[in-house]
């Protein structure tokens, strides 16, 4: 299995990029498909299921914390997903699955870092 077998999308998120090629490569590796390419505005749209990522260049906040802290993807099995993330060579922020006491039974999660400091959280709500 692959990391992409363990998550589904949540919503549209806009993320400024210093390089559209790097942004496209990162999101493609996570299983996204380019659905829009607008050279006039230096914008691309990447989609996986119902989650759309908008990436663009020329924004002075690119790579700065606070522009976007992270996006969170719904994961069915965080333990299995982190194994795949390690195999696929993602830049892991967390080397093991973390746990917080949210919701009824908590959440299990880990984070990877992509280009320009983008943080993607893979989050499982424990049943």
């Amino acid at each position: 299995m692959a990391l992409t077998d363990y998550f589904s999308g949540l919503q549209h998120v806009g993320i400024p990029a210093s390089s559209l090629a790097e942004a496209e490569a990162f999101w493609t590796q996570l299983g996204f498909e380019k659905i829009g390419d607008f050279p006039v505005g230096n914008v691309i749209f990447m989609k996986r299921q119902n989650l759309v990522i908008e990436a663009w260049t020329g924004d002075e906040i690119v790579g700065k914390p606070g522009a976007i802290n992270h996006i969170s993807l719904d994961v069915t099995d965080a333990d299995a997903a982190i194994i795949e993330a390690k195999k696929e060579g993602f830049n892991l922020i967390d080397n093991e699955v973390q746990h917080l006491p949210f919701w009824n039974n908590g959440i299990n999660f880990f984070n990877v870092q992509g280009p320009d400091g983008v943080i993607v959280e893979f989050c499982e709500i424990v049943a």
Side-chain angles (χ1 to χ4, degrees), residues 41-108:
N42 291 323
V43 176
I44 60 172
F45 286 86
M46 306 294 292
K47 181 177 181 180
R48 174 168 164 75
Q49 296 179 7
N50 66 341
L51 176 58
V52 176
I53 302 296
E54 176 188 16
W56 68 94
T57 60
D59 192 318
E60 67 184 38
I61 63 169
V62 66
K64 294 182 182 176
I68 297 271
N69 178 271
H70 72 279
I71 64 167
S72 182
L73 304 178
D74 189 26
V75 173
T76 57
D77 185 341
D79 292 318
I82 198 169
I83 291 168
E84 294 304 324
K86 288 177 181 179
K87 281 192 224 175
E88 294 176 25
F90 285 98
N91 182 12
L92 290 166
I93 294 170
D94 304 303
N95 288 321
E96 57 187 44
V97 173
Q98 308 295 303
H99 182 81
L100 287 172
F102 297 162
W103 307 107
N104 291 333
N105 298 310
I107 61 170
N108 295 328

